[in-house]
Amino acid sequence: MDINEYISSGILELYVYGSLTDEESREVTSVLNQFPEVRTEVEEIEEVLRDLSATIAPGNAENLIHAIKRKLGNSSKTIVMETRKTNNLPMYIGWAASILFLMGLFFMFNKNQELRGELQALQGEKAQMESQIADARSDADKTKELLSVIRDKDIIKVPLAGQAVAPDAYATAYWDKATNTAYIDVKDLPEPPRGMVYQVWSLKLEPLTPTSIGILDKYEEDENKIFALDNTNLSEAFGITLEPAGGSKSPTMEQLYALGVVSS
Amino acid sequence: MQQDKLIEELQSGNEKAFSRIYELYSQSTYGIIFGIIKDAAISEEILQDVFIKIWNNASSYNPEKGRFFTWVLNIARNASIDKIRSKDFKNKKLNLKSDIFVDILESKSNFFGSIDAIGLQKYIDILGPTCRKLIDLLFFQGFTQKETSEELQMPLGTVKTKNRVCIDKLRAKVL
């Protein structure tokens, strides 16, 4: 190694500044331990830098030594306390963290239970809503069907006027000859007493021959009180009587509620 | 060799050795701190902290890694830079980009009656602006060669050789 070249490279100044890496500094140290001229060079660089920085100092540092020495005794105590603090801190943090974690777990568990309950309630509500929608849809379908029947020009509308037992009552029969169906609207008949049902008759007038076309035993369940009944007869009139539950073979004429003739 | 023995004694907790170290290094350490902080009162506080650290951490100094002066320099720089970055210091808004030598010389008439103005003027006269900037960054601020080259937009090798020239100038006139 050319020592003069090494010295003049400027590496020794950087060494004193402390701007070399650890590895580079160790190398320089081993060189100056081998070559006294390198050591002398480093000592001179250090001396000029100490002189330069001492010149910049804003005052005399000499008197501060007493203040510092007083603090030296205390500082060892402070350091013990500090290390104790830093040793305990992670432990406290650890405990605090695990307590928070447990609290968190309980909170999450409760929350979970709560949400489960809510979910079940919502599922129940949903099922209810679904069945309501299905009902509404089937009602709507039925209404649509009835509406189309009533509007159909091929349907024969037969008003059935209230009779002696119920003068204010009336009913209507819509007779579709094409499908052999009679739709009986009994919305304006009084509600049948318990144990009794309305029975619908197709009548031939000459001679008077009644034929039962149906018993309105679903009266209470049906919302719009319109019943579709099969009617294959060549009806000349329709009548409605009140009969004991299950219906009768022939109409009880004293309990004739409504009667109307098919206009031809 | 005497210096090595002194440091060994310091490391074994000898207070007399500490006093001697203080005599040898306190004034230059004070200057290094002031070069960064530029406030005499705060520099004084930091100087005390630095020497308490030197006492407490003396055993961590490893001669293989560098000069004892360099070790002290590092402690002083780090303490000063920590202070500058701290909240209570930021209010003071000091211009850290300016030329410290000129800065300090100009400010001495205002604040620092005891500053060695003649000595400082001597340095300013010897060093040109480039040398002052190089020494400020490398010595006071503790920049690496690479950081200095980036800051001054100077090739990496030039930083090293030019700085060598600057220090040579000082040695020729001052020592």
Side-chain angles (χ1 to χ4, degrees), chain A residues 75-90, chain B residues 57:
Chain A
S75 75
S76 52
K77 263 183 215 158
T78 348
I79 278 171
V80 170
M81 281 173 64
E82 266 174 16
T83 48
R84 193 176 292 155
K85 254 187 221 160
T86 48
N87 281 343
N88 283 347
L89 193 58
Chain B
N57 304 326

Side-chain angles (χ1 to χ4, degrees), chain B residues 103-143:
Chain B
D103 236 27
I104 288 163
L105 190 69
E106 282 171 353
S107 64
K108 63 105 202 183
S109 52
N110 303 328
F111 308 108
F112 316 111
S114 56
I115 200 166
D116 182 1
I118 299 160
L120 189 55
Q121 187 62 57
K122 183 178 65 183
Y123 282 111
I124 292 172
D125 292 343
I126 295 165
L127 300 166
T130 309
C131 279
R132 294 206 294 263
K133 201 68 206 166
L134 275 169
I135 290 171
D136 180 23
L137 294 180
L138 287 164
F139 178 49
F140 287 94
Q141 315 280 351
F143 276 42

Side-chain angles (χ1 to χ4, degrees), chain A:
Chain A
M1 181 188 293
D2 183 339
I3 284 305
N4 287 330
E5 202 176 292
Y6 187 73
I7 288 170
S8 61
S9 74
I11 194 172
L12 300 179
E13 283 79 0
L14 298 181
Y15 172 72
V16 178
Y17 290 158
S19 47
L20 298 179
T21 65
D22 255 22
E23 202 184 331
E24 290 167 334
S25 289
R26 281 173 190 274
E27 267 175 42
V28 175
T29 305
S30 75
V31 173
L32 73 87
N33 285 337
Q34 289 170 56
F35 299 92
E37 59 267 51
V38 173
R39 175 179 289 273
T40 308
E41 184 74 17
V42 164
E43 280 169 356
E44 280 187 32
I45 293 165
E46 184 182 313
E47 203 184 332
V48 76
L49 288 175
R50 275 164 60 187
D51 188 74
L52 169 66
S53 47
T55 307
I56 283 173
N60 201 330
E62 214 177 302
N63 299 324
L64 287 173
I65 182 80
H66 307 293
I68 293 168
K69 279 199 170 176
R70 272 198 302 276
K71 286 182 187 170
L72 290 187
N74 299 332
S75 75
S76 52
K77 263 183 215 158
T78 348
I79 278 171
V80 170
M81 281 173 64
E82 266 174 16
T83 48
R84 193 176 292 155
K85 254 187 221 160
T86 48
N87 281 343
N88 283 347
L89 193 58
M91 192 182 79
Y92 290 137
I93 290 171
W95 277 108
S98 42
I99 288 164
L100 276 177
F101 178 67
L102 277 178
M103 280 162 63
L105 271 185
F106 279 118
F107 174 76
M108 295 307 276
F109 179 73
N110 281 338
K111 197 79 198 161
N112 190 15
Q113 296 289 96
E114 221 172 89
L115 286 174
R116 251 173 225 229
E118 272 174 36
L119 183 63
Q120 271 171 0
L122 283 173
Q123 275 170 344
E125 262 175 49
K126 186 179 163 235
Q128 229 174 324
M129 297 282 281
E130 271 172 0
S131 73
Q132 275 176 9
I133 288 169
D135 286 354
R137 225 176 250 163
S138 75
D139 280 355
D141 286 349
K142 218 159 147 193
T143 309
K144 241 186 248 169
E145 190 194 326
L146 288 173
L147 204 59
S148 72
V149 165
I150 290 164
R151 283 178 177 165
D152 195 322
K153 63 179 166 56
D154 294 333
I155 302 268
I156 299 159
K157 184 184 174 190
V158 185
L160 310 177
Q163 300 300 303
V165 254
D168 294 336
Y170 73 90
T172 314
Y174 299 93
W175 182 19
D176 185 349
K177 278 185 175 173
T179 61
N180 292 323
T181 310
Y183 297 89
I184 312 296
D185 178 359
V186 293
K187 189 163 69 69
D188 293 301
L189 287 188
E191 203 170 312
R194 192 180 274 270
M196 304 294 276
V197 291
Y198 287 117
Q199 190 164 6
V200 183
W201 309 86
S202 164
L203 304 168
K204 281 228 164 196
L205 297 176
E206 297 290 335
L208 188 64
T209 321
T211 313
S212 175
I213 56 171
I215 300 160
L216 308 186
D217 51 0
K218 300 269 168 62
Y219 182 90
E220 271 180 48
E221 295 156 39
D222 198 298
E223 283 275 331
N224 45 33
K225 311 295 180 207
I226 298 176
F227 299 88
L229 303 172
D230 287 337
N231 181 26
T232 51
N233 305 290
L234 296 168
S235 307
E236 286 167 352
F238 291 99
I240 300 170
T241 59
L242 192 66
E243 303 292 342
S248 307
K249 281 195 173 159
S250 59
T252 311
M253 293 314 281
E254 297 79 33
Q255 295 290 331
L256 181 65
Y257 271 68
L259 180 68
V261 177
V262 178
S263 54
S264 46

Side-chain angles (χ1 to χ4, degrees), chain B:
Chain B
M1 279 302 119
Q2 215 181 355
Q3 169 90 358
D4 294 350
K5 191 140 181 8
L6 183 62
I7 289 161
E8 272 172 36
E9 281 173 4
L10 172 76
Q11 288 181 321
S12 65
N14 183 330
E15 265 202 46
K16 273 187 187 160
F18 178 75
S19 297
R20 180 79 189 117
I21 292 284
Y22 188 83
E23 275 171 40
L24 287 170
Y25 293 95
S26 62
Q27 204 61 30
S28 50
T29 306
Y30 197 12
I32 290 153
I33 296 165
F34 183 73
I36 298 168
I37 296 283
K38 293 164 190 166
D39 178 299
I42 298 172
S43 297
E44 217 173 75
E45 282 171 35
I46 296 172
L47 180 68
Q48 295 187 34
D49 292 344
V50 167
F51 273 87
I52 289 165
K53 274 184 189 150
I54 290 170
W55 173 253
N56 287 330
N57 304 326
S59 60
S60 75
Y61 165 65
N62 177 359
E64 283 173 26
K65 284 189 188 172
R67 304 286 292 170
F68 184 74
F69 173 68
T70 306
W71 185 70
V72 172
L73 179 60
N74 263 322
I75 294 174
R77 276 199 298 234
N78 290 340
S80 306
I81 289 164
D82 281 353
K83 186 71 183 178
I84 280 178
R85 287 175 184 160
S86 72
K87 263 188 198 161
D88 56 319
F89 195 84
K90 279 183 179 156
N91 304 328
K92 307 211 178 230
K93 294 228 177 198
L94 289 166
N95 183 6
L96 299 170
K97 290 250 168 190
S98 60
D99 185 325
I100 61 156
F101 297 99
V102 177
D103 236 27
I104 288 163
L105 190 69
E106 282 171 353
S107 64
K108 63 105 202 183
S109 52
N110 303 328
F111 308 108
F112 316 111
S114 56
I115 200 166
D116 182 1
I118 299 160
L120 189 55
Q121 187 62 57
K122 183 178 65 183
Y123 282 111
I124 292 172
D125 292 343
I126 295 165
L127 300 166
T130 309
C131 279
R132 294 206 294 263
K133 201 68 206 166
L134 275 169
I135 290 171
D136 180 23
L137 294 180
L138 287 164
F139 178 49
F140 287 94
Q141 315 280 351
F143 276 42
T144 64
Q145 193 182 345
K146 188 162 175 287
E147 286 164 345
T148 308
S149 120
E150 281 161 6
E151 177 78 20
L152 300 183
Q153 297 185 320
M154 187 185 275
L156 204 61
T158 312
V159 169
K160 194 154 91 168
T161 51
K162 179 73 188 160
N163 173 69
R164 163 81 185 167
V165 172
C166 298
I167 298 294
D168 275 351
K169 278 189 201 172
L170 289 181
R171 286 163 64 188
K173 296 273 168 105
V174 176
L175 295 181

